[in-house]
Amino acid sequence: MTDPILTALLASLDDKRGVALVTVIAAAGPYQASQGRRALVWRDQPPLGDLGLGELDARVLTDAAAVLSGKQHRTLDYSQEMGATLRVFVEVQRQPPHLVIVGAGHIAVPLASLGSLCGFTVTVLDDRPQFANRQRFAQADQVLAAPLRETVHAMVSDGRLDKDSYIVLVTRGHQYDIDCLLEVLDAPLAYIGMIGSQRRVSAVFQLLNQEQGIPPEKFSRIYAPIGLDIGARTPAEIAVCIMAEIINVLRSGPARSLAAARRVRDEQRRLRVTGRPVTVDGASLLMLAGRAQILPLDKPPRACYAVDPQICPPPFDPPPDFGSPRRETAPGCPETSFSSQELSLTHPFRSLHERSPLSCCVGVRSFLFLFSLFIFTTPSCRG
């Protein structure tokens, strides 16, 4: 005889639906006969099965539904409250991660295929039926031809977008990307990616900060420009770099995103004067001769105090909490090549005569030039 609980459980797994198996694992006293009984709980349909707990049955299943929403296994203990041993184990079968592709253009087609291949539940959304259709997205689980912003807002409101959701904004225009971005900016999503160049993305975020008062810190969670830097050019290659970044986020991988450089520049713009090490996206920002270098934090720290010379012209006395000025070592440079007074976040492109003659890069280049000149002009060196 087929077990209806097992049949429904397997069907839910095949349909990629979240479900919780509720099992009475310990019972005594009036609940002894219920030990070993099971039931299933979904988020969008009534429970299946009877735990045999009488009036307590509905309450246990309601608590199990809350556990399912939390997406973590849990043991519910009612022993003290009931005056008898009663423990229930809720085993959550989480639904696969949800990939939502907003925009059904050329990049969306290979991206939907890759998402399905990697085990994601794939939803494609576009307001143009000639693009959002089953003929173009045969492997997607859901294809929606509907207004973009209104549909995204509804998906956030009814809980279809949650911490297991990965949304990619690749619409036909930046205005549509921005409209959808504003709907998900505060949503508890696992990943928000938006296509666009470094300059365009920074300009958009700066405009939203100025016109709508959105704090710049909120944009740090946005992966824009989207994807990993693999030199992608074609729509299929761009889809690969986007999917690689999503998997990198899902698995907490070590790869650095294209968005990391944008975050560094945005942080550089905000931190005009600081006495603390500048840290952005898991790396230290070192301003050296007008260029930003990203130093992994797993290496010995080289913290730099960045000071605007117009505000604190050398020599300066930093505030007590800034610490004392100190000389730092740059990769491949002498120990005393430059000091914190020679670094500036606000003037990364100062002319050479305004910098210290001990500036690291200028010193190294000058040394190499003079050394090569000495080699090629000395007869003994030429043999």
Side-chain angles (χ1 to χ4, degrees), residues 150-297:
E150 293 80 359
T151 305
V152 172
H153 176 78
M155 295 176 73
V156 173
S157 300
D158 61 19
R160 281 181 286 170
L161 295 181
D162 54 19
K163 62 183 181 181
D164 284 334
S165 299
Y166 298 74
I167 188 167
V168 176
L169 305 177
V170 285
T171 68
R172 63 185 181 276
H174 280 285
Q175 184 56 51
Y176 301 101
D177 290 336
I178 295 171
D179 289 343
C180 297
L181 174 65
L182 293 175
E183 296 297 332
V184 300
L185 189 58
D186 295 320
L189 307 184
Y191 173 92
I192 303 173
M194 185 176 74
I195 199 167
S197 65
Q198 297 268 7
R199 182 177 299 179
R200 178 65 65 87
V201 168
S202 295
V204 166
F205 290 167
Q206 188 173 3
L207 186 66
L208 291 176
N209 171 245
Q210 295 173 353
E211 294 191 353
Q212 301 199 23
I214 300 176
E217 293 77 13
K218 284 193 175 183
F219 300 126
S220 63
R221 67 185 294 238
I222 310 302
Y223 288 85
I226 195 171
L228 299 184
D229 188 3
I230 60 173
R233 292 181 178 271
T234 68
E237 293 172 350
I238 295 173
V240 169
C241 83
I242 294 174
M243 200 65 218
E245 182 176 61
I246 291 175
I247 295 174
N248 189 58
V249 173
L250 175 65
R251 305 300 183 191
S252 300
R256 292 191 62 81
S257 302
L258 282 167
R262 189 264 307 167
R263 291 170 183 155
V264 168
R265 283 201 299 271
D266 290 348
E267 190 72 9
Q268 171 188 341
R269 187 181 296 112
R270 292 198 298 268
L271 298 176
R272 295 302 184 184
V273 179
T274 178
R276 299 176 179 84
V278 181
T279 302
V280 182
D281 194 31
S284 295
L285 173 65
L286 173 63
M287 296 306 300
L288 175 60
R291 297 187 179 183
Q293 296 187 7
I294 300 176
L295 306 178
L297 291 182

